[in-house]
Structure formats: C-alpha cells, structure tokens
Amino acid sequence: MKFIPLYICAFLVGILSYAQQTPAPAQSQEIIIIGATAHLGNGEVIENSVIAFKSGKLTVVASAEEKNLDASNAQVIYAEDKHVYPGFIAPNSTLGLVEIDAVRASDDEDEVGSFLPHIRSIIAYNTESKVVESMRPNGVLLAQVTPRGGQISGTSSIVQLDAWNWEDAIVKKDDGIHLNWPKRFVKKGAWYDPKVGYKADEKYDEKVQEIYSFFKQAKAFANQPEALLNLPIGAMQKLFNEEQKLYIHTDAEKDILDALHFKSELGLKNVVLVGGKYAHKVADQLIEHQVPVLVARVHETPEADDDDYDLPYKLPRLLHEAGVLVGLENSGQMERMNARNLPFYAGTVVAHGLEKEEALQLITLNTAKILGIDKQVGSLEVGKDATLFISEGDALDMMGNILTHAFINGREISLETHQTELYERYKKKYAEQK
C-alpha cells in the first residue's frame, strides 16, 4: 500500500479550501421578477416593475400594471418591497491580479519595465480569487482588470465575476492601454511626516518627452507589418486605429492640461482621465476634448492643506454638474478588498448633493459608456445582458444593501463567500454556547 506524502495532502486540502464556488450554469429557463422597484441605471425608476430575461438577455422591462406575461413556463420571483439594479461595475481595478500582498507569488499586478503596452492583465486574472468572490454579495458583478506600474502599465480587460477561467470571464478583451502621466510636483518626505510638502520634479519635462517619443514612434508604424516585430510598438496599433482607449492616470490641474495637449498633438480620439482629483478646475477643457473621468476614490481625505474638507466627496457632483461624463473608481490602499464598497461611494456622493439615480449611474451606465460596454451592460434595457441583482433595500446604503438574488448573463450566481461561511460557522458556535 502506498501512502500519499503529508505535504501533498496538505497541498490538496489547501487547494480545496481555496477554491471559489462552482460558476453558475447557463440560463435554461425564463425568469420573471415581479413587483420590485426597478432602478434602470439610466436615471429612470419603475416603482412596480416586471422584468423578464431569457437565454441571458433582458426581454421585458416594464411596469407590472401595463404588462401581463405568460409565466406558465417561467421561474417567477416575487419581489414586492425589494429593489432591482443593474450589476455594478468596478473600473481601474486590480481584482484577480493579487491575492495576498505579502506573498510575491500571488502578486501579478506589475511587470518589470517602463513602457509595457504589450502586457495583458487578462492573462494573469485569477477567477478563483477569494477577493473577487467577495465582491458579488454587494452587487459588484463586473470589473475592469487593470495592471499597475511603469510609465505605460499595460492593457486592461473587462470581466464578469463568475467564471471558470479568464476566457470565460471576458466581457471586453484588451479594451485599453493605461498611461501613468508624470507628476510635475511630487511629495517630499514620508507620508506620516506632518511637515510633508511638495517639490518640483526636475525630470518632469524629460519624462514627458519620453512619452511623446514613444507614442510618435508607435504612430509612425501604424498599420505597418514591421510594427509586429516590436512587441511594445505592435501593441499600440489598436490605439491609433481607435479600437482601444487610452486611459491617462493623473490628478493635478496642470498635469491634466499637459495630458490634454498630448491628446491633441497625437490626434488621439478615445481618451479617458483616471483619478482627476482636481479635474473640476479644468472641466471646460475636458468637455472641449470630450474626455470622461473615472474619479478617484471618494472615501479619502483632501490632498492639499487648502482643499475643501469635503472635496473628494463632492468632486463627482462638481464634474457632473459641469457636464463631464463621470464614473467612480477605487484605486489606492487596499483597493481590491475595498472594491466591494463601490456602491457606498456612490451613496456618499448622494449625501453631498447628487440625486440618487444620478449617483447610481456613476457605477452603472456612465461607467459602461466610459469603458465602451454600454450596449451590453450598465442599465436594465431590453436586449442587454441580464446582469442584475435584487436587494432588500437601497443598494447604495450599507443597511439596505442586502442581496437576495444576483444574475450574470441570466445565470443565477452564488452569493456565498468564504466570509459568509465563516459568519455562519461562528454564529452557530456561539449560539450553541448560550
């Protein structure tokens, strides 16, 4: 008799305990949701709604008082006093690229080098991530998986969060290239130093010229067969063919203006500003250049001493009122775990002056438009993917965001996670001790 070595047993047990729930099977039966308040994601609300979907697509979105459906062969969900929302979208996220920060082998968010447009984040995306799994109970059902580091970090892709592998997960492959614009002024001193200030980066102009040089070289080879011989240059061709977007990550007013000038000089069409902590100061120029903004995490303190204390909270409203297309992103400290708080960021924006349905658009239809996936997802409209969820209350409020059902492409997905399993385990333990 052969005995399996102990370390192999430990490895197998670890794999089993690590695995995510089995992805849901394809929708096989029509599903009808009756009686819920439907928040369509485009600013509209249907108080007493009927929503039907079949083969993963929405077929009916209407008032229950005006539409009678034959439910004889359908699964019916009665959702009176509940709310239906389109799945929330987390852009500029490293979900699935890092599992444990302290374990280098689980960290795939960054690559060695500076100009890396050929690095594709989707190849490293881990559908088995427990962090990804924990997004779904809060209604975050889609994400833009984005690399970090370097001057050009690489290429992002958009995924849905219930899949066997990265091929299954793809909603839009290689949607855009991410450029980290240099900072004209950088912080001096440690972040915890109360006297931390700013100093001019003496190499700012040199770094900008390097970006210009690389992009001009790539543009010169646009549609040329020899471009494929150089991986970084070849990876830029879809950008100049307008098949991809350029996401420019920068915050300061003058840096944003320099980035807009760069856009004009290179003749770039599909450009998105990411971060934009001072974008409200150049809102007119953003509108002129037709550049939308994925606003930095609103749950932050002000950047400068003379900023309004509530600037991060009200920035999305300021940009929206100026006429800029706005979405919310979540990069920063503990960004993967905090991505599940995306709906509550939108709720914070409501508390600082934006109408609730407008704030909902910041994490649904607006973001879908910015990412170029609004024909598929982002709102509850006939013909779009049935990616949605039912909540017991207001999904933008921590007390109301309690999901009862969630669907991706019509597939009813599990809302269980390792966290809910631990909750149930210890709840049972302490109940038995009473």
Side-chain angles (χ1 to χ4, degrees):
M1 182 177 179
K2 294 182 178 180
F3 292 93
I4 300 175
L6 183 60
Y7 67 86
I8 294 180
C9 292
F11 174 79
L12 293 175
V13 170
I15 291 294
L16 291 173
S17 64
Y18 181 83
Q20 190 184 44
Q21 286 87 17
T22 301
Q27 183 183 3
S28 59
Q29 182 183 23
E30 181 181 22
I31 297 175
I32 302 175
I33 303 171
I34 299 175
T37 298
H39 304 263
L40 305 191
N42 59 5
E44 299 179 25
V45 177
I46 302 175
E47 294 293 342
N48 179 22
S49 69
V50 56
I51 296 174
F53 46 97
K54 190 175 183 179
S55 301
K57 297 291 183 180
L58 290 163
T59 55
V60 176
V61 179
S63 169
E65 298 172 355
E66 300 174 359
K67 191 81 172 180
N68 292 319
L69 299 180
D70 179 10
S72 57
N73 295 315
Q75 174 189 345
V76 179
I77 300 173
Y78 293 99
E80 293 84 355
D81 300 323
K82 293 184 173 62
H83 299 257
V84 178
Y85 295 87
F88 299 150
I89 308 168
N92 186 37
S93 171
T94 52
L95 280 171
L97 298 182
V98 184
E99 193 65 11
I100 303 172
D101 291 275
V103 179
R104 181 66 185 88
S106 76
D107 186 339
D108 264 332
E109 70 175 351
D110 195 357
E111 189 56 85
V112 176
S114 185
F115 289 87
L116 305 168
H118 56 296
I119 297 300
R120 302 171 63 221
S121 63
I122 190 63
I123 301 298
Y125 177 64
N126 175 23
T127 56
E128 297 286 347
S129 168
K130 285 190 175 184
V131 182
V132 169
E133 173 186 276
S134 68
M135 300 297 111
R136 302 186 314 226
N138 279 11
V140 180
L141 305 183
L142 302 112
Q144 181 194 37
V145 181
T146 306
R148 297 284 186 257
Q151 210 72 69
I152 297 179
S153 302
T155 301
S156 60
S157 289
I158 301 161
V159 300
Q160 51 85 4
L161 304 185
D162 182 65
W164 286 99
N165 49 50
W166 64 262
E167 291 98 332
D168 290 339
I170 289 174
V171 173
K172 187 174 183 180
K173 181 170 62 176
D174 301 333
D175 71 291
I177 292 172
H178 292 257
L179 168 64
N180 298 302
W181 194 261
K183 295 182 178 180
R184 187 182 295 271
F185 292 93
V186 295
K187 287 185 177 180
K188 58 179 181 180
W191 63 269
Y192 52 79
D193 185 348
K195 296 181 180 180
V196 64
Y198 289 85
K199 63 178 180 179
D201 183 356
E202 296 177 356
K203 293 186 177 182
Y204 175 80
D205 291 336
E206 178 183 332
K207 293 175 182 176
V208 170
Q209 286 306 310
E210 287 179 353
I211 293 173
Y212 269 93
S213 177
F214 181 82
F215 272 77
K216 286 180 178 179
Q217 183 183 6
K219 187 175 183 179
F221 280 94
N223 300 317
Q224 299 298 319
E226 53 267 34
L228 300 178
L229 300 176
N230 184 310
L231 285 178
I233 295 297
M236 297 285 287
Q237 302 312 300
K238 289 184 178 180
L239 181 65
F240 293 107
N241 293 338
E242 300 183 22
E243 297 176 37
Q244 287 181 325
K245 295 179 183 288
L246 178 64
Y247 296 89
I248 302 180
H249 299 239
T250 192
D251 293 313
E253 178 183 356
K254 290 185 177 180
D255 296 347
I256 295 172
L257 291 175
D258 285 350
L260 293 178
H261 179 72
F262 167 77
K263 171 186 178 294
S264 296
E265 286 288 301
L266 271 293
L268 299 169
K269 302 295 183 183
N270 299 323
V271 173
V272 177
L273 176 64
V274 182
K277 293 181 179 179
Y278 294 96
H280 61 294
K281 295 185 176 182
V282 292
D284 291 342
Q285 289 88 338
L286 290 169
I287 294 170
E288 178 186 348
H289 287 268
Q290 297 180 325
V291 173
V293 182
L294 291 172
V295 177
R297 186 189 302 180
V298 298
H299 285 188
E300 285 191 330
T301 55
E303 185 79 8
D305 292 341
D306 57 349
D307 286 345
D308 291 347
Y309 75 93
D310 58 352
L311 178 58
Y313 306 143
K314 68 183 181 182
L315 178 58
R317 173 178 63 80
L318 296 176
L319 289 170
H320 173 78
E321 290 176 348
V324 178
L325 180 61
V326 182
L328 299 184
E329 62 103 2
N330 177 61
S331 60
Q333 189 177 24
M334 293 187 66
E335 64 179 73
R336 288 169 294 283
M337 296 73 172
N338 282 327
R340 62 186 173 187
N341 291 328
L342 189 67
F344 312 135
Y345 300 156
T348 297
V349 178
V350 174
H352 287 78
L354 201 61
E355 293 296 326
K356 185 168 292 185
E357 298 308 315
E358 292 174 333
L360 175 63
Q361 289 179 261
L362 303 183
I363 55 175
T364 54
L365 187 57
N366 281 15
T367 299
K369 288 179 178 179
I370 292 170
L371 301 183
I373 55 174
D374 53 301
K375 292 184 179 179
Q376 299 168 256
V377 295
S379 61
L380 302 178
E381 299 180 64
V382 172
K384 289 192 175 184
D385 293 348
T387 298
L388 53 99
F389 64 88
I390 303 173
S391 174
E392 290 188 4
D394 181 357
L396 304 189
D397 184 275
M398 287 186 179
M399 299 298 289
N401 186 303
I402 304 172
L403 272 63
T404 60
H405 301 77
F407 304 88
I408 293 179
N409 298 117
R411 301 177 296 114
E412 185 168 5
I413 66 172
S414 171
L415 293 174
E416 294 299 318
T417 72
H418 65 293
Q419 294 171 334
T420 60
E421 289 174 1
L422 289 172
Y423 169 76
E424 292 297 333
R425 180 194 301 176
Y426 286 99
K427 183 175 74 171
K428 181 178 178 181
K429 172 189 176 182
Y430 290 112
E432 291 174 349
Q433 292 179 353
K434 288 183 179 179

